[in-house]
């Protein structure tokens, strides 16, 4: 027998089964242990009874929550860092887990030091948004792309259980102490689970479909908002059994209890909540009021906001900040009234401000900046998060404010003295790999043109018994978010939440004709109204369809089916289908048959929906709504990869590197990417690839497509050039007597080039690729030179020639003061004499070439070792074995002691002969 949503079968026991997937692998430096387990689906699939549908939904929905993330079970996992004996201590040491989406790993950050002590890689979790909650003992993680919930015991770093839930936005988890709940907003089910095993405890608390909220206050009460009724409700958990429940005992024992319900709004108003230390704050975005419920004390404050506001999940202290992104203002509701101040900058991507240590922190996701304001609303600090490139998650925990950017390698920790510490989540002083680069920053936002909304589309009325149901399609917002719809008819006016596009008008008279008009309101005021068809209420209404099923398809469509209704004597003319999501209702379409195919794109991919159906007879009378269908998550192929950038790999021939940011998954996890270039195709799971073997100096077009269960998405393309051999162009040369300098330009071919200058007989010079100098070359000589540039693809050369200058020396012999010394240098005479020139580097009378009179200028070419000669007083007592080849009756040699070289008489500037 089939189990699942929309069926009568009790599938509780059937869905529990032993874990048979891959075992969790936990590795610590101090010893540890592992654990695995599974539990029944915790969102109530298989246990849900049929209930009469009642509607609503909060704006936005669940998004990535970056702090406090850990592990995904049924996948391989490695924990690196502390030993298990230290983990319990670390859990209490103001620590928090911070998620890195682009890397698919979590880092545990010590809030006191701002340092990472453990990093956890989660395979197959790259780019997945995560909703997570933690206490000092447990961490619950829900992967929005897969719906899987995992429980991690923080004392032992042990996965205790996993359980599936419906993927996408609509199910959330909540945790306080040992109390854990799974909240199914679409179906209206709040089910307690054991955080150790994820097995259901008792029976769920049931609400109308389309609830919102699901956060614990400081006293351990779980608060739920019911927009269809205009109420909030507090739920307390059943005591946790001393022995962990098993699949066989799932749902048994004591159940959680709904202990209080408080009316805070008219039915069908748009509600969002923030859990307080001792109660709940409820923002009515339709009526623009904030209600706080603390014990028996209930206070209502009217706001004058310019758009729909937002609340943080939790608020500490007595001041409740309401953030209105459209006008970048924060309204602080406190005992003395309402204070408001402006957030600097432009754009509407502001996260709800949080209160911490007498300051308010508001994150701007467009700029990666967190603005800090004091209690007077003065801007006192700006915290920049490098490369945030997307969500910024703020959470107050253990007396610290943790600021995390899941798409960045860094985070921030703020203490109660407002000291900000930078966190490197990819710190390499602990075990782990090198991080991927931060994805490119998103383009700057464009300021929309703001006007009043348009008229709603397709305003339709159907008659019931003493009532009428009015439905409509959304109006165009025209640059300012719609805050509410206004329904008018029968001399009455009704305000309806912006997410409630279906409204029941009661108290009508059967047999009388009615028309209804609907108009939208935004910050600019009311838009034009559109009037419905006329309807006549009657007691002769058809039956509602007995059951409804829904199925999502890979092409993005959703098909809704139901059995034919009994028209009670009248022909069924059509069926009206209504979509229910987390806090919202909207008409999905009409059908003359018993199925409706909702076109691709009409519903939001990755968001959970259920459906109800009303039968409309030929006399215009409509039934009530059917039981709610099973939940589906529309999906289609992924979007186009974002920010694709192909680049040359400088140190490898025939290779290009390509990186990109993950596209919209569109309702199903991205399993891999297809990368094509140069006629080759490869599949990767990361958002980067290195493509080799493409040839040198080639322009390569790279195509990347994301793949999920629906198939391949559209491609993104970029072009890069592989490394080509360098090209050298000589631009000039210069020379001294003993050096040659060549200037040149180098086209490195996209690689990293190294350059050299070579001259025969001299030491080759290496260095930069703009200018090189070879030293120690022969003076007065024309030299051929070669410039070579090399990179990974090969070498390029250029040649030229340059004549060096002539290096002159002066034949030097200075007479002494008396006797024979006074005339020693006057002439060449028998025996030894200064300034004698020889054919060889020794004083050989038979090989003497002549005598250079003092002061004779001699062109000098090179040096050679020979007989030692001492100049005595005649040339500053020079003594050396160096002989200089000079131009004297040809190329002959004179001892260096008898010639003083120009430029400082440095014999070392001459090359060796």
């Amino acid at each position: 027998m089939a189990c699942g949503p929309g069926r009568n079968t009790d599938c509780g026991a059937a869905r529990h089964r032993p874990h048979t997937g891959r075992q969790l692998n936990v590795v610590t430096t101090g010893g540890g242990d592992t654990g695995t387990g599974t539990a029944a689906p915790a969102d109530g699939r298989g246990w849900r009874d049929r209930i009469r549908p009642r509607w609503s939904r909060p704006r936005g929905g669940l998004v990535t929550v970056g702090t406090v993330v850990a592990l995904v079970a049924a996948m391989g996992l490695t924990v690196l860092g502390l030993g298990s004996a230290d983990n319990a201590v670390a859990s209490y040491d103001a620590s928090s887990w911070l998620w890195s989406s682009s890397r698919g790993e979590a880092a545990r950050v010590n809030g006191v030091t701002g340092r990472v002590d453990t990093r956890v890689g989660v395979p197959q979790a790259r780019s997945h948004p995560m909703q997570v909650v933690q206490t000092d003992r447990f961490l619950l993680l829900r992967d929005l792309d897969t719906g899987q919930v995992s429980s991690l015991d923080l004392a032992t770093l042990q996965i205790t259980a996993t359980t599936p839930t419906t993927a996408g936005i609509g199910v959330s988890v909540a945790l306080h102490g040992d109390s854990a709940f799974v909240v199914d907003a679409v179906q209206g089910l709040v089910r307690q689970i054991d955080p150790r095993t994820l097995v259901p405890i008792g029976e769920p608390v049931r609400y109308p479909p389309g609830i919102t909220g699901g956060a614990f206050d400081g006293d351990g009460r779980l608060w739920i908002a019911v927009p269809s009724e205009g109420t909030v409700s507090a739920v307390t958990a059943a005591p946790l059994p001393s022995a962990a429940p098993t699949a066989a005992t799932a749902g048994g024992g004591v159940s959680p209890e709904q202990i209080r319900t408080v009316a805070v709004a008219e039915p069908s108003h748009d509600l969002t909540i923030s859990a307080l230390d001792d109660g709940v704050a409820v923002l009515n975005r339709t009526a623009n009021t904030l209600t706080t419920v603390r014990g028996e004390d209930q206070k209502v404050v009217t706001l004058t906001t310019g758009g729909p506001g937002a609340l943080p999940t939790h608020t500490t202290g007595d001041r409740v900040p309401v953030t209105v992104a459209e006008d970048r203002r924060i309204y602080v509701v406190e005992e003395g009234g309402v204070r408001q101040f402006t957030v600097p900058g432009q754009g509407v991507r502001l996260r709800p401000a949080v209160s911490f240590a007498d300051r308010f922190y508001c994150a701007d996701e467009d700029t990666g900046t967190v603005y800090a304001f004091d209690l007077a609303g003065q801007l006192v600090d700006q915290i920049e998060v490098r490369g945030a490139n997307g969500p910024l998650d703020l959470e107050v925990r253990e007396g610290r404010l943790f600021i995390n950017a899941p798409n960045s390698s860094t985070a921030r920790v703020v203490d109660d003295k407002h000291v900000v510490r930078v966190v490197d989540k990819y710190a390499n002083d602990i075990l782990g790999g090198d991080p991927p680069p931060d994805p490119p920053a998103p383009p700057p936002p464009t300021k929309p043109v703001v006007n009043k909304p348009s008229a709603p589309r397709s305003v339709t009325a159907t008659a019931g018994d003493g009532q009428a149901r009015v439905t409509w399609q959304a109006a165009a917002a025209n640059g300012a978010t719609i805050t509410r719809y206004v329904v008018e008819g029968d001399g009455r006016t009704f305000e309806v939440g912006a997410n409630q596009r279906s409204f029941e008008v009661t108290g009508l008279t059967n047999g009388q004709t009615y028309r209804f008009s609907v108009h939208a309101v935004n910050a600019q005021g009311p838009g034009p109204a559109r009037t419905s068809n006329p309807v006549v209420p009657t007691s002769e209404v058809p039956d509602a369809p007995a059951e409804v099923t829904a199925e999502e398809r890979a092409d993005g469509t959703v098909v809704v089916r139901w059995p034919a209704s009994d028209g009670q004597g009248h022909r069924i003319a059509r069926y009206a289908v209504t979509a229910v999501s987390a806090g919202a209702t909207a008409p999905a379409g009409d059908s003359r048959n018993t199925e409706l195919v909702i076109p691709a794109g009409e519903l939001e991919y990755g968001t959970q929906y259920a459906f109800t159906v009303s039968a409309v007879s030929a006399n215009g009378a409509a039934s009530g709504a059917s039981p709610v269908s099973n939940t589906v998550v529309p999906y289609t192929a992924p979007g186009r990869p974002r920010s694709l950038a192909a680049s040359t790999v400088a140190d490898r021939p025939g290779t290009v590197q390509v990186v990109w940011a993950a596209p919209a998954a569109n309702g199903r996890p991205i399993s891999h990417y297809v990368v094509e270039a140069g006629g080759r195709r490869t599949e990767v799971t990361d958002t980067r690839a290195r493509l080799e073997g493409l040839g040198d100096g080639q322009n390569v077009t790279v195509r990347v497509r994301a793949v999920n269960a629906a198939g391949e998405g559209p491609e993104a393309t970029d072009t890069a050039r592989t490394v080509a051999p360098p090209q050298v162009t000589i631009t000039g040369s210069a020379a001294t007597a003993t050096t040659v300098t060549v200037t040149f330009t180098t086209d490195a071919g996209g690689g990293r080039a190294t350059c050299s200058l070579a001259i025969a007989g001299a030491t080759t010079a290496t260095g930069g690729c703009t200018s090189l100098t070879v030293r120690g070359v022969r003076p007065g000589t024309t030299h051929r030179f070669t410039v070579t540039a090399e990179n990974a693809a090969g070498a390029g050369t250029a040649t030229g020639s340059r004549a060096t200058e002539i290096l002159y020396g002066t034949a030097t012999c200075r007479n002494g003061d008396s006797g024979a010394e006074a005339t020693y240098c006057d002439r060449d005479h028998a025996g030894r004499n200064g300034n004698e020139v020889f054919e060889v580097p020794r004083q050989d009378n038979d090989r003497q070439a002549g005598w250079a009179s003092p002061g004779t200028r001699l062109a000098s070419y090179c040096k050679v070792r020979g007989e030692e000669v001492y100049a005595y007083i005649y040339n500053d007592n020079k003594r050396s074995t160096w002989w200089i080849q000079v131009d004297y009756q040809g190329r002959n040699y004179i001892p260096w002691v008898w010639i003083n070289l120009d430029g400082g008489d440095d014999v070392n500037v001459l090359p060796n002969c």
Side-chain angles (χ1 to χ4, degrees):
M1 182 177 293
C3 297
R7 295 178 171 88
N8 291 321
T9 305
D10 185 350
C11 304
R15 291 296 296 268
H16 286 276
R17 57 189 181 275
H19 179 67
T20 57
R22 285 183 285 168
Q23 296 296 307
L24 172 69
N25 177 29
V26 180
V27 180
T28 66
T29 58
D33 53 284
T34 63
T36 58
T38 56
D43 58 353
R45 295 183 296 163
W47 292 286
R48 181 180 51 79
D49 295 333
R50 303 187 195 282
I51 57 177
R52 295 290 293 180
R54 304 175 67 178
W55 321 119
S56 69
R57 165 190 175 200
R59 191 183 324 277
L62 184 64
V63 295
T64 302
V65 179
T67 51
V68 210
V69 173
L71 321 167
V72 171
M75 299 178 180
L77 176 67
T78 302
V79 177
L80 304 165
L82 294 179
S84 60
D86 300 319
N87 286 318
V89 175
S91 297
Y92 291 92
D93 192 17
S95 65
S96 186
W97 290 87
L98 305 184
W99 177 249
S100 298
S101 176
S102 59
R103 191 179 177 93
E105 71 174 22
R108 185 169 60 191
V109 177
N110 185 305
V112 177
T113 65
R115 291 181 59 84
V116 172
D117 59 44
T118 300
R119 282 168 52 189
V120 174
V122 183
Q124 302 177 7
R126 291 182 186 267
S127 303
H128 286 205
M130 299 285 178
Q131 192 251 330
V132 293
V133 287
Q134 101 175 353
T135 65
D136 289 331
R137 286 191 57 204
F138 297 104
L139 184 70
L140 297 186
L141 160 68
R142 180 175 180 269
D143 186 327
L144 271 69
D145 277 357
T146 65
Q148 178 167 271
V149 177
S150 300
S151 173
L152 174 72
D153 189 320
L154 293 180
T156 62
L157 289 182
Q158 175 181 337
I159 287 289
T160 57
T162 64
T163 190
T165 67
T166 303
I169 298 171
V171 169
S172 61
V173 292
L175 183 64
H176 179 86
D178 291 334
S179 302
F181 283 86
V182 172
V183 179
D184 186 335
V186 176
Q187 297 291 337
L189 291 178
V190 177
R191 179 176 290 279
Q192 185 179 352
I193 56 175
D194 188 315
R196 299 165 295 184
T197 62
L198 302 183
V199 169
I201 295 176
E203 292 297 317
V205 180
R206 302 177 185 276
Y207 294 95
I211 59 177
T212 65
F216 280 102
D217 67 13
D219 294 328
R221 293 170 296 197
L222 182 73
W223 287 94
I224 302 293
V226 188
S228 64
E229 297 178 344
T231 62
V232 291
S233 174
V235 176
T236 58
L240 193 66
S242 57
T246 65
T249 61
V254 182
S255 298
E257 182 181 358
Q258 179 181 338
I259 61 170
R260 187 180 183 191
T261 297
V262 182
V264 294
E266 292 296 322
S268 296
H269 280 201
D270 191 2
L271 306 180
T272 184
I273 71 170
S274 180
L276 306 177
D277 296 333
D278 55 351
V280 67
V282 185
L283 178 63
N284 183 339
R285 293 189 285 205
T286 304
N288 217 10
T289 61
L290 182 80
T291 301
T292 55
V293 179
R294 292 184 171 98
E296 297 302 320
D297 188 16
Q298 182 174 339
K299 294 182 178 180
V300 181
V301 176
T302 299
L303 305 175
T304 56
T305 64
L311 297 177
T313 303
H314 298 89
T315 297
T316 58
D318 297 329
R319 302 175 181 90
V320 181
V322 179
T323 304
V324 180
E326 287 195 3
D327 59 8
R328 296 184 70 89
R329 296 188 70 79
I330 297 173
Y331 299 78
V332 178
V333 179
E334 52 192 352
E335 186 67 28
V338 179
R339 184 191 308 273
Q340 58 177 288
F341 45 89
T342 301
V343 180
Q346 297 180 340
V348 298
R349 295 181 61 201
L350 296 182
R351 296 299 293 270
V354 300
S355 174
F356 172 67
D358 290 333
R359 286 188 179 179
F360 301 100
Y361 291 84
C362 184
D364 186 336
E365 294 183 340
D366 277 332
T367 63
T369 304
V370 178
Y371 297 97
F373 303 88
D374 64 16
L375 295 181
Q378 297 298 311
L379 180 66
V380 292
D381 197 6
Q382 293 183 208
I383 304 171
E384 305 293 335
V385 181
R386 179 183 62 85
N389 303 325
L392 281 171
D393 300 320
L394 278 62
E395 182 183 32
V396 177
R397 173 172 167 76
E398 301 286 353
R400 301 290 189 277
L401 173 65
F402 291 88
I403 303 170
N404 184 45
N407 291 344
S408 171
S409 62
T410 64
R412 304 291 183 268
V413 179
V414 185
D415 67 17
D416 57 359
K417 304 299 182 184
H418 312 298
V419 176
V420 180
R421 290 179 172 82
V422 177
V423 178
D424 180 4
K425 293 187 292 180
Y426 300 158
N428 279 326
D429 55 353
I430 63 168
L431 294 177
D434 293 330
D438 288 333
T446 57
K447 192 171 183 178
V449 177
V450 179
N451 209 333
K452 294 180 180 180
S454 71
R457 297 176 294 115
S458 303
V459 177
T460 303
T462 55
D465 187 0
Q467 62 184 22
R469 187 180 190 199
V470 185
T471 62
W472 59 92
Q473 298 290 347
N478 291 338
T481 302
I482 293 171
T483 57
R484 62 188 179 276
Y485 288 96
V486 177
V487 179
E488 296 177 307
D490 189 33
R492 294 181 288 172
T493 299
F494 308 93
E495 290 187 339
V496 181
N499 286 327
Q500 315 300 320
R501 299 200 298 275
S502 175
F503 186 72
E504 299 282 350
V505 181
T506 60
L508 303 180
T509 302
N510 288 343
Q512 184 174 328
T513 301
Y514 296 90
R515 289 179 182 269
F516 301 92
S517 68
V518 182
H519 68 265
V521 181
N522 66 10
Q524 299 298 306
R530 193 177 301 277
T531 303
S532 75
N533 55 289
V535 292
V536 180
T538 176
S539 61
E540 298 178 354
V541 297
D543 292 342
E547 63 176 353
V548 180
T549 60
E551 177 189 1
E552 64 270 68
R553 294 172 170 175
D555 61 358
T557 63
V558 172
V559 58
V560 184
R561 297 185 177 92
W562 57 90
S565 292
D566 185 345
Q568 297 297 326
H570 296 274
R571 178 179 60 85
I572 299 297
R574 61 185 175 89
Y575 294 91
V577 180
T578 298
V580 183
S581 55
T585 59
D590 291 349
S591 174
R592 296 182 181 277
N593 303 311
T594 56
E595 77 170 28
L596 174 70
V597 177
I598 303 173
E602 289 288 326
L603 302 175
E604 186 174 349
Y605 300 127
T607 296
Q608 298 175 12
Y609 293 90
F611 303 90
T612 62
V613 180
S614 294
V616 182
S617 64
N619 66 345
S623 71
S626 69
V628 68
S629 75
N630 57 293
T631 298
V632 296
V633 180
Y635 72 104
T636 190
R640 191 186 314 275
R642 299 178 295 112
S643 306
L644 177 67
S647 59
T648 302
V649 178
D651 58 354
R652 294 185 67 86
T655 303
V656 297
Q657 177 83 17
V658 58
V659 296
W660 60 91
N666 287 342
R668 291 296 184 273
I670 294 173
S671 58
H672 62 278
Y673 296 89
V674 173
V675 183
E676 294 180 333
R680 302 184 181 190
R681 174 186 171 105
T682 186
E683 295 182 357
V684 299
T685 57
D686 202 353
T687 54
R688 60 170 62 195
R690 175 170 286 193
L691 310 174
E692 300 178 332
L694 300 172
D696 295 334
Q698 300 295 312
N699 289 319
V700 179
T701 298
V702 182
R703 295 176 171 83
V704 180
R705 296 184 296 277
V707 183
N708 67 7
E712 295 183 1
E715 68 182 27
T717 63
D718 195 24
T719 301
R721 184 176 177 83
T722 59
V723 173
Q727 295 181 350
V728 179
T729 302
I730 295 172
T731 58
S733 63
T736 65
T738 59
T739 66
V740 173
T741 299
V742 180
T743 57
F744 54 94
T745 60
T746 304
D747 178 356
R752 289 191 286 267
T754 59
C755 294
S756 62
L757 173 63
I759 295 177
T763 301
T764 298
T766 59
C769 289
T770 56
S771 176
L772 290 171
T773 298
V774 171
R775 305 182 184 279
V777 297
R778 288 177 180 269
T781 304
T782 298
H783 296 278
R784 294 286 297 175
F785 59 79
T786 300
V787 179
T788 301
E790 294 181 279
N791 67 12
T797 61
T799 60
S801 62
R802 182 73 187 192
T804 50
E805 297 176 353
I806 297 174
L807 177 64
Y808 284 92
T810 302
T812 302
C813 184
R814 293 181 288 270
N815 287 325
D817 294 332
S818 60
E821 295 176 352
T823 60
Y824 181 79
C825 298
D826 290 347
R827 61 182 176 83
D828 186 20
H829 51 77
R832 295 278 66 79
N833 193 15
N835 297 358
E836 292 175 319
V837 180
F838 297 88
E839 297 173 351
V840 292
R842 64 180 182 273
Q843 298 178 116
D844 185 339
N845 291 335
D846 294 335
R847 303 292 298 275
Q848 184 172 347
W851 175 79
S853 61
T856 300
R857 299 282 288 167
L858 299 172
S860 304
Y861 300 110
C862 59
K863 66 182 185 293
V864 66
R865 292 286 185 183
E867 181 182 1
E868 183 180 79
V869 178
Y870 178 44
Y872 189 46
I873 64 171
Y874 306 112
N875 192 11
D876 296 328
N877 291 298
K878 286 174 70 175
R879 183 192 299 270
S880 177
T881 59
W882 283 117
W883 289 64
I884 308 301
Q885 188 184 74
V886 296
D887 185 5
Y888 180 90
Q889 298 181 10
R891 298 289 179 100
N892 292 299
Y893 299 92
I894 185 173
W896 175 47
V897 301
W898 299 122
I899 184 170
N900 290 344
L901 300 173
D902 291 354
D905 194 29
D906 183 3
V907 71
N908 291 320
V909 302
L910 289 172
N912 294 327
C913 299

